[in-house]
Amino acid sequence: MYKKAYILLTLLSIAFQIFANDPLKPGVISGKVTDGDSNVAVEYATVSIFEQASHALVGGTVTSADGIFSIKNIEEGTYTIEVTFIGFQKTVIENVAVKRPNLKKNLGVITLSTDAEVLDAVEVVGTQSSVSYDIDKKIVNVGTQFAALSGTAVDILENIPSVTVDGDGNVSLRGSSGFTVLIDGRPSVLDASEALQQIPASTIENIELITNPSAKYDPDGTAGIINIITKKNRLEGVSGVFNATGGMYDRLGGDFLLNFKRKNYSFYVGANYNKRPGPGTYNSERITTNGDTTSYIISEGDRERTFEMYGAQAGVELYLSEKDFLKISGKVGEFKMYGGMDADFYEYQRIGGDDAPINENRYISSEQWERGGLYYNANIAYQHKFDKKGHTIDAQIDYGGRDMTESSINELYPKYGDGSVAETPSSGQRSTEIGPGGRLRAKIDYVLPVGEKDKIEAGWQTRWNQAEDVNEVYNYNTTTGEYEFQPDYSYTTNYTQTIHSLYGIYSGKVGSFGYQGGVRAEYTGRNINVVGSDDEYPVDQWNLFPTVHLSYNLPKDDQLMLSYSRRIERPRGWYLEPFVTWQDAFNVRRGNPGLLPENIDSFDFSYLKNISDNLTLSLDVYYRMTHNKIERIQTVWPEDINVIMHTYANVGTDYALGTEISLNYQPFKWWTMDLMGNLYDYRVEGELEGQSFDRQNITWSSRFNNTFRVSKNTQIQINNRYTGETVTAQGRNEGYFMMTAAVKQNLMKKKLTLTASMNDVLGTARRKSYSSGIGFSNFTEDFRYPHVFTATLTYRLNNFKPSRRGGGDGGGMDDF
């Protein structure tokens, strides 16, 4: 898709130069462009027309989905035709005469050669930026990030603009964890961060960051949408790709994707397995006060967190006619996160102004937890093309479900003065939460071209979600040595939500100016019910979400873009659960069913500048205002001074004003640099626990990625990133730096590739956070083991290549 954006910019520059041409000029030059290796039509190839004598540019276009082009309004004369597309050699046709009586010149089929050396040059030495733009999205070329090949989508996102990842793998987009994850334009049944953790990096072609989505998309998510475009293959016959990964601490993974394609049908099948342990250390210090008594809990220990997932997918594509297309696909898998910590705890108190500690206790805390379960998804998509080009109707039904289970157990073992540890625990808590749920989505999208450059889009959608959470709590009885059920802390909660949507968009272009305006209306009906209780928490409301996108094309492929969108962030299910869940002996969690949804006003301004053939600059300025801001807050639990309760609250309004800069530079043919930075001023104002607060800081982060071409088949990549300090309603997170390095070696004429990588080369990724509130203060440090070595072996069957057409329309029918 990044290629598509680049070519569109080229075309618009050509159009700007010939805009004043006389429309009555009678000449027409047409033809068709195909891939010389596969005879497949090449979409978005650039066709340029130059005067034969002066080589002055007189016109141009890009090819359609069928590889066809037609350039009108050509004067009589003799011309040179140049056909280019990234990954192919340039094709030049000389002495094309447009003269009476034959003023319409058909060049027939033009084949582009995919010479291996040209492909090598494009892959490493090419000047194409790793980030490109469309009118409503930023497209990140994942192919440049081979250092993250052995990981998941989260590892890819760690090295791209706008995104930060914490120690638990939770992703934030422009400082917000509120965003929607789409996979090929369709939502996942998993929560956002969980969905990103289960997608192998090797299966991803591009990632779209849609910070101000149009009215066509769901308005959910404070910061917008992350759309993962997976690899596809349009070559006829059998093709495929296989990946195998292994590394330290029992890292293990593998995946494959096989395609079989014929003219009127195709099908694919794939599977993946990935186990990614993350051992490290975890330290904390908590201080709580009650009257003149101050309690201290200091802990230090080893922590283990493992992500393990496996899945299988399959699909069939049927070209029922030249105008009708049907796709049926499905996916099933299991996703698990599990781990634990064995830590030394030191607990004591101080009374009044006396510094002498009293009530000292030392013990070992043993914690084990697991979250995960089965998930599945089935999709039917249909498209009909009308006679007029671009006139389409799409229908889609998507059903998915999951059967998730969360469990944890925490036990405290007394530690004696001689260092020995008791064989039986002095206390323990065990909790389980079973959460089966289902989701159904049905929608219709309609596109009607108006004139040559405008179009109307409209659509309808219904979403239905249902979930049941059964929560049970058990406490350890030191007398019987058994865990006993605690009915006062055990609940069953039912959650249902239905959302009906209608949208309309009008877009078009006048000269170099492009515009798009739309509005989406949504009705939300929601209810939360606790079994055995009369308490219900219904929602019954309408919302309107306007969107505006403007663009202006400057000479030399430069582009300006301005956008606005109104969005909503509805509270997640576990934010609303009105009961206490024990996380460990010193932490409990309780939802807040009275939470209001966040309402967001978001503005974006973007500028893309091609400074030279080897230097591209992109600049984004954004402003986001979030009303009813939801934050995770901490308070001292009334029943025990040593226990902190974690809950959620609408704390007020936050404001983020920032800028992102991305620079792609190739100082030499063997060296490519990507320098990205994000600087923003963040402020949150509101009221918490009856007290007004105002927190503000200037936050910055940066990425500096370098790729070195050692030889034709050998590359080295060094990725550096710094994540700056951030503030929350109750504290701050310190900044940290990390370096990742990788080597990529192509073998067997690129059919086989070996990639070796190492994370946190300098051992500097220590994540520290501070929080404080009425009666407490807390410090934590999370450090994952550095220098983790991983190797990935990739084999391509029949020279598998991802789709050249990309996935930039958000996973629409053209991507299937």
Side-chain angles (χ1 to χ4, degrees):
M1 176 58 203
Y2 72 101
K3 303 171 184 175
K4 173 181 173 182
Y6 174 81
I7 295 162
L8 285 176
L9 293 174
T10 303
L11 168 62
L12 293 171
S13 178
I14 294 171
F16 178 80
Q17 297 179 55
I18 67 173
F19 182 74
N21 283 0
D22 183 356
L24 298 180
K25 295 173 183 177
V28 178
I29 297 177
S30 60
K32 181 177 181 179
V33 180
T34 64
D35 183 335
D37 292 339
S38 64
N39 294 323
V40 174
V42 178
E43 186 181 8
Y44 300 115
T46 302
V47 183
S48 304
I49 301 179
F50 301 89
E51 289 185 354
Q52 181 78 23
S54 65
H55 204 67
L57 178 66
V58 298
T61 187
V62 294
T63 55
S64 67
D66 299 323
I68 295 173
F69 67 90
S70 179
I71 306 171
K72 303 178 181 179
N73 305 324
I74 304 298
E75 290 183 333
E76 292 189 52
T78 303
Y79 299 97
T80 298
I81 311 299
E82 293 186 359
V83 183
T84 58
F85 190 75
I86 295 176
F88 292 91
Q89 290 181 326
K90 179 194 296 184
T91 296
V92 180
I93 304 173
E94 303 279 2
N95 299 315
V96 176
V98 178
K99 295 181 179 180
R100 297 181 188 274
N102 184 19
L103 296 173
K104 295 183 178 180
K105 189 71 172 179
N106 190 326
L107 301 177
V109 176
I110 303 171
T111 59
L112 298 182
S113 173
T114 56
D115 181 82
E117 292 186 1
V118 173
L119 291 177
D120 287 346
V122 171
E123 182 180 7
V124 180
V125 189
T127 60
Q128 189 68 22
S129 174
S130 60
V131 179
S132 58
Y133 289 83
D134 208 338
I135 189 171
D136 62 350
K137 68 194 71 174
K138 180 187 297 182
I139 305 102
V140 180
N141 174 23
V142 171
T144 63
Q145 296 298 327
F146 65 82
L149 180 65
S150 62
T152 66
V154 172
D155 299 280
I156 294 289
L157 289 167
E158 283 186 315
N159 291 298
I160 66 177
S162 312
V163 176
T164 56
V165 181
D166 69 12
D168 294 328
N170 298 310
V171 176
S172 296
L173 179 59
R174 286 183 173 174
S176 172
S177 60
F179 58 89
T180 298
V181 169
L182 302 179
I183 302 172
D184 291 326
R186 296 187 295 274
S188 169
V189 296
L190 300 175
D191 296 315
S193 290
E194 292 177 355
L196 295 172
Q197 287 283 3
Q198 62 92 27
I199 305 173
S202 56
T203 66
I204 301 173
E205 182 176 351
N206 287 326
I207 294 178
E208 298 177 346
L209 302 180
I210 313 174
T211 52
N212 269 347
S214 70
K216 180 178 180 179
Y217 294 91
D218 296 339
D220 303 76
T222 305
I225 295 171
I226 296 178
N227 189 19
I228 306 296
I229 306 300
T230 58
K231 290 180 179 178
K232 308 171 185 70
N233 194 330
R234 298 189 180 275
L235 298 180
E236 291 200 5
V238 179
S239 58
V241 60
F242 301 81
N243 294 281
T245 298
M248 296 171 59
Y249 306 111
D250 296 325
R251 289 197 170 200
L252 185 65
D255 60 83
F256 74 88
L257 178 64
L258 282 174
N259 292 268
F260 181 82
K261 182 174 177 60
R262 285 292 183 260
K263 181 178 180 181
N264 295 322
Y265 67 91
S266 66
F267 64 85
Y268 69 88
V269 62
N272 67 279
Y273 172 79
N274 202 344
K275 180 182 178 182
R276 303 181 65 243
T281 61
Y282 187 83
N283 307 318
S284 69
E285 181 176 342
R286 175 183 296 173
I287 303 174
T288 55
T289 58
N290 184 10
D292 62 350
T293 301
T294 302
S295 298
Y296 299 82
I297 299 177
I298 301 172
S299 68
E300 179 178 357
D302 295 322
R303 188 176 187 179
E304 172 69 42
R305 182 180 288 105
T306 298
F307 296 92
E308 186 173 7
M309 65 289 295
Y310 61 84
Q313 59 178 325
V316 59
E317 304 171 351
L318 303 173
Y319 297 86
L320 305 177
S321 70
E322 292 184 356
K323 300 181 181 298
D324 296 280
F325 174 84
L326 178 68
K327 179 177 179 178
I328 303 173
S329 61
K331 185 173 185 178
V332 63
E334 184 171 1
F335 173 80
K336 293 192 297 183
M337 299 184 295
Y338 55 90
M341 181 173 68
D342 290 325
D344 280 293
F345 272 72
Y346 174 41
E347 179 183 12
Y348 64 94
Q349 293 180 330
R350 289 192 174 119
I351 305 295
D354 191 352
D355 291 336
I358 62 173
N359 299 328
E360 294 180 276
N361 290 294
R362 297 181 184 273
Y363 41 83
I364 298 295
S365 172
S366 177
E367 175 190 349
Q368 298 293 325
W369 60 271
E370 180 176 334
R371 172 180 169 83
L374 180 73
Y375 66 91
Y376 52 90
N377 182 242
N379 177 268
I380 300 176
Y382 169 78
Q383 182 184 72
H384 176 74
K385 296 181 179 180
F386 297 92
D387 290 337
K388 187 175 183 180
K389 182 179 179 181
H391 187 191
T392 61
I393 186 169
D394 296 87
Q396 190 173 133
I397 298 177
D398 191 83
Y399 177 74
R402 62 179 186 179
D403 191 3
M404 291 291 174
T405 299
E406 182 175 355
S407 63
S408 65
I409 183 170
N410 180 269
E411 297 176 329
L412 299 182
Y413 293 84
K415 188 175 182 179
Y416 305 119
D418 60 1
S420 62
V421 180
E423 295 183 357
T424 59
S426 59
S427 67
Q429 291 84 29
R430 190 180 76 196
S431 64
T432 62
E433 184 174 342
I434 301 173
R439 185 206 68 205
L440 177 67
R441 175 186 300 249
K443 67 175 185 173
I444 297 176
D445 298 302
Y446 177 72
V447 181
L448 175 65
V450 179
E452 292 293 326
K453 299 180 180 179
D454 293 11
K455 65 179 178 180
I456 296 173
E457 298 177 73
W460 158 87
Q461 177 179 262
T462 289
R463 289 186 280 167
W464 171 82
N465 296 273
Q466 182 274 332
E468 179 186 58
D469 288 318
V470 180
N471 178 264
E472 296 182 348
V473 175
Y474 300 80
N475 282 346
Y476 183 75
N477 187 318
T478 56
T479 303
T480 64
E482 302 289 337
Y483 278 89
E484 297 179 348
F485 180 64
Q486 304 295 307
D488 292 341
Y489 297 109
S490 303
Y491 304 89
T492 298
T493 305
N494 292 314
Y495 172 93
T496 58
Q497 179 173 269
T498 302
I499 302 174
H500 302 289
S501 309
L502 289 171
Y503 76 87
I505 301 172
Y506 190 91
S507 60
K509 186 180 178 186
V510 177
S512 297
F513 176 69
Y515 55 88
Q516 181 192 90
V519 64
R520 187 182 186 97
E522 285 198 347
Y523 165 78
T524 302
R526 190 199 75 195
N527 192 34
I528 301 173
N529 170 257
V530 179
V531 176
S533 169
D534 294 331
D535 296 334
E536 291 190 350
Y537 306 91
V539 172
D540 186 9
Q541 65 181 24
W542 281 90
N543 294 99
L544 287 177
F545 303 100
T547 63
V548 177
H549 294 81
L550 306 173
S551 67
Y552 187 80
N553 293 285
L554 302 169
K556 298 182 180 179
D557 299 335
D558 297 350
Q559 190 174 30
L560 298 173
M561 285 164 286
L562 179 66
S563 63
Y564 162 79
S565 70
R566 176 83 169 174
R567 302 189 56 73
I568 190 171
E569 174 70 356
R570 298 177 175 92
R572 301 177 184 180
W574 67 85
Y575 287 15
L576 304 169
E577 296 170 346
F579 51 79
V580 169
T581 300
W582 282 88
Q583 296 176 284
D584 57 43
F586 303 102
N587 294 275
V588 297
R589 183 185 71 213
R590 183 171 67 191
N592 178 5
L595 281 178
L596 299 174
E598 296 178 340
N599 293 302
I600 305 99
D601 292 292
S602 178
F603 299 84
D604 254 271
F605 170 78
S606 302
Y607 174 53
L608 182 64
K609 173 70 175 177
N610 291 290
I611 300 174
S612 65
D613 290 341
N614 62 344
L615 181 60
T616 302
L617 171 69
S618 65
L619 172 68
D620 292 85
V621 178
Y622 60 91
Y623 176 72
R624 186 182 69 234
M625 181 168 55
T626 304
H627 310 275
N628 302 323
K629 172 68 174 176
I630 297 174
E631 283 220 17
R632 181 178 180 178
I633 62 172
Q634 304 172 60
T635 59
V636 178
W637 200 34
E639 299 184 21
D640 190 333
I641 188 177
N642 290 328
V643 176
I644 293 293
M645 184 173 70
H646 304 263
T647 187
Y648 302 89
N650 296 111
V651 300
T653 304
D654 77 353
Y655 310 85
L657 173 63
T659 180
E660 293 175 350
I661 298 177
S662 179
L663 189 70
N664 176 258
Y665 180 48
Q666 187 182 22
F668 306 101
K669 290 184 177 181
W670 49 269
W671 183 11
T672 301
M673 296 189 300
D674 286 298
L675 178 61
M676 296 160 277
N678 182 19
L679 174 69
Y680 67 96
D681 178 78
Y682 179 79
R683 180 163 51 96
V684 56
E685 299 176 347
E687 184 176 289
L688 190 60
E689 296 180 316
Q691 297 184 2
S692 297
F693 69 89
D694 184 353
R695 292 182 179 270
Q696 183 270 341
N697 81 324
I698 295 177
T699 298
W700 67 280
S701 61
S702 64
R703 311 284 192 273
F704 185 32
N705 302 334
N706 295 268
T707 303
F708 303 94
R709 184 183 182 85
V710 179
S711 67
K712 178 180 177 180
N713 291 306
T714 306
Q715 302 168 54
I716 296 176
Q717 189 169 91
I718 300 176
N719 294 342
N720 305 275
R721 74 173 187 271
Y722 175 78
T723 301
E725 180 179 294
T726 58
V727 298
T728 65
Q730 290 187 300
R732 64 185 176 89
N733 301 313
E734 280 194 1
Y736 65 92
F737 172 81
M738 176 183 281
M739 174 188 290
T740 302
V743 178
K744 178 180 178 181
Q745 179 68 44
N746 290 318
L747 305 165
M748 298 171 56
K749 297 182 179 180
K750 291 194 172 181
K751 288 186 177 182
L752 191 67
T753 300
L754 176 63
T755 304
S757 63
M758 178 179 289
N759 80 321
D760 198 6
V761 175
L762 303 180
T764 54
R766 294 183 178 272
R767 298 171 172 89
K768 301 179 181 180
S769 64
Y770 303 83
S771 60
S772 61
I774 296 176
F776 81 93
S777 64
N778 197 40
F779 162 75
T780 63
E781 181 187 64
D782 190 357
F783 180 58
R784 300 293 179 86
Y785 289 165
H787 314 142
V788 177
F789 177 83
T790 309
T792 299
L793 192 64
T794 300
Y795 176 75
R796 299 171 184 86
L797 176 65
N798 289 339
N799 199 22
F800 176 94
K801 303 185 186 78
S803 165
R804 297 187 184 279
R805 296 172 62 181
D809 63 355
M813 296 293 292
D814 287 342
D815 291 330
F816 296 145

